[in-house]
Amino acid sequence: MARPLVKTHIRGFDEDVLRGGIPQGHVVLVRGASGTMKSSLAYYVLYHNALEGAPGLYVTLEQTAAGLLEHIAGLGLKATAVSEALPILDLSRGREYLEEMVAKVGSMTETAAPRGEALLAVLKAKIFELRMRRNFRLLAIDSWDALELVLEFDDRRAETFGFFEWLRDLGVTSLLISEEPALEAPPTALEEEFLADGIIHLRLEPVTETAFQRRVQCVKMRSVNQDSDDHTLLFENGRFEVARAIG
Ligand SMILES: Nc1ncnc2c1ncn2[C@@H]1O[C@H](COP(=O)(O)OP(=O)(O)O)[C@@H](O)[C@H]1O
Ligand SMILES: [Mg+2]
């Protein structure tokens, strides 16, 4: 049986590109350089799902919850309409916050796990607790890169694999925001691309010497025969929309 599909609510993207939506339970990377509207788009997807009754959780590490809310207001989205259905977990003080939690939990347990591992354990416990309490269906992590820095993975591939599996078992659909790796980045920077179920790539494309156009491309979506073409991405009056790019 086919999995239920999660709509992104980006006009033209669900129907024409994803053939319906993101298969529920997928771990999807939203990848792009700074300023390509990764955070905006991820919040937008969770926002519209929350409005339709599917709760979400937005984990922010790169900016504070207040900073994110200000940006969202600037986009014309009313976060107050979904404050119950789409809470923001502010880990912008990521390491400190998790360390405080480790200290609290640590005083109750005997074992001293290596730091990264202990941080990962409290983060998972926190997300799991919210999953039980709020029954959220969509999760955004902004960003995966920032989280990785906090968690200090030793074996990047194995730990990324383990975390993605944990997300799938949690039964949520995940959007992981991810910076564009530098051109000279080692191939290990691409491991999550193999491990993710989907990749949505955002870009600013020069169209003349001075003008840029936003572009979106669904590079990968497991179990979907997606349209991998480049599309222009428009954001107007609080709505994202895609149109076929004219090369
Ligand atoms: N009201 C708006 N309409 C269209 N674009 C906007 C609006 N407000 C901000 N932006 C764009 O959003 C960009 C930042 O989006 P953001 O989601 O934070 O990007 P990223 O997470 O990829 O760094 C800004 O560079 C700006 O171009
Ligand atoms: Mg961002």
Side-chain angles (χ1 to χ4, degrees), residues 122-133:
V122 291
L123 176 73
K124 283 180 174 176
K126 180 74 193 166
I127 292 178
F128 187 74
E129 183 235 323
L130 288 167
R131 167 84 176 122
M132 293 292 111
R133 193 145 55 88

Side-chain angles (χ1 to χ4, degrees), residues 9 22 36 51 67 76 112 139 176 185 207 209:
H9 295 273
I22 299 170
T36 52
L51 286 179
L139 172 69
L176 306 190
V207 286
E209 240 170 78

Side-chain angles (χ1 to χ4, degrees), residues 86-107:
L86 179 50
I88 298 172
L89 177 59
D90 189 339
L91 295 184
S92 57
R93 299 193 300 121
R95 163 137 237 129
E96 265 172 84
Y97 173 87
L98 291 173
E99 273 172 358
E100 279 161 25
M101 293 215 297
V102 169
K104 271 188 226 155
V105 179
S107 58

Side-chain angles (χ1 to χ4, degrees), residues 33-40 71 74-75 214 235:
S34 190
T36 52
M37 296 188 92
K38 299 180 296 298
S39 302
S40 311
H71 179 67
L75 296 176
R214 295 192 183 283
F235 186 81

Side-chain angles (χ1 to χ4, degrees), residues 93-153:
R93 299 193 300 121
R95 163 137 237 129
E96 265 172 84
Y97 173 87
L98 291 173
E99 273 172 358
E100 279 161 25
M101 293 215 297
V102 169
K104 271 188 226 155
V105 179
S107 58
M108 293 183 259
T109 56
E110 300 275 306
T111 48
R115 267 232 306 234
E117 257 175 58
L119 295 177
L120 179 60
V122 291
L123 176 73
K124 283 180 174 176
K126 180 74 193 166
I127 292 178
F128 187 74
E129 183 235 323
L130 288 167
R131 167 84 176 122
M132 293 292 111
R133 193 145 55 88
R134 305 248 187 185
N135 195 28
F136 66 84
R137 314 289 294 279
L138 279 94
L139 172 69
I141 297 181
D142 187 359
S143 66
W144 174 245
D145 310 71
L147 183 61
E148 252 195 78
L149 275 182
V150 171
L151 296 178
E152 299 176 337
F153 288 164

Side-chain angles (χ1 to χ4, degrees), residues 11 21 29 68 75 79 82 95 104 111 114 116 128 152 162 176 188 194 219 224:
R11 201 173 292 144
L29 295 180
L68 178 68
L75 296 176
V82 293
R95 163 137 237 129
K104 271 188 226 155
T111 48
F128 187 74
E152 299 176 337
L176 306 190
T188 51
F194 299 108
V219 182
V224 171

